[in-house]
Amino acid sequence: QVQLVESGGGLVQAGGSLELACLVSGNMFSIDTMAWYRQVAGKERESVADITSGGSTNYADSVKGRFTISRDNAKNTVHLQMNSLTPEDTAVYYCVADYRRPTSGIEIRSWGQGTQVTVSP
């Protein structure tokens, strides 16, 4: 069983910063891509940023230049530093890990439970 536990969400004023963290634990051979998604009630979940095991990153256009994704492969953690937040960033943020099972090597996508980020005007 693989678990993802997010932390760091909360309430912040526009222009402020928050850092999200996600710890991945369980029986895994390796973790490939790690990512952050977000979802606003009534809308589809969208990708915010992702990072490969080698450190290559991708960002949604809406967060480029404001958000930074990073990971610590030794600790199985991924972080999302969010700066210059706006009310449009308000959403539930989900951590994602694409990990490989120890015996089969099959890649599985696992999701965290989500953490609320609210940005007030």
Side-chain angles (χ1 to χ4, degrees):
Q1 188 78 6
V2 172
Q3 289 187 322
L4 283 70
V5 179
E6 299 120 332
S7 60
L11 173 65
V12 66
Q13 286 189 330
S17 298
L18 280 175
E19 183 176 9
L20 305 182
C22 175
L23 171 64
V24 185
S25 62
N27 191 19
M28 305 169 288
F29 177 74
S30 63
I31 303 175
D32 296 333
T33 299
M34 304 180 82
W36 290 94
Y37 280 68
R38 66 186 181 186
Q39 187 170 26
V40 177
K43 294 188 177 181
E44 289 190 0
R45 195 171 294 187
E46 64 172 357
S47 175
V48 176
D50 61 68
I51 183 167
T52 67
S53 58
S56 297
T57 58
N58 287 294
Y59 294 94
D61 287 343
S62 59
V63 307
K64 281 181 182 176
R66 299 188 298 122
F67 290 13
T68 302
I69 189 171
S70 61
R71 65 188 283 176
D72 185 329
N73 292 330
K75 297 180 179 179
N76 289 342
T77 57
V78 61
H79 293 255
L80 186 68
Q81 177 65 44
M82 306 184 292
N83 298 327
S84 301
L85 286 160
T86 73
E88 288 68 38
D89 295 314
T90 295
V92 177
Y93 284 71
Y94 296 90
C95 174
V96 170
D98 294 331
Y99 71 94
R100 293 193 181 271
R101 290 184 168 173
T103 51
S104 67
I106 295 174
E107 187 174 87
I108 303 293
R109 167 156 289 194
S110 186
W111 294 77
Q113 80 286 355
T115 185
Q116 177 70 45
V117 171
T118 302
V119 184
S120 62

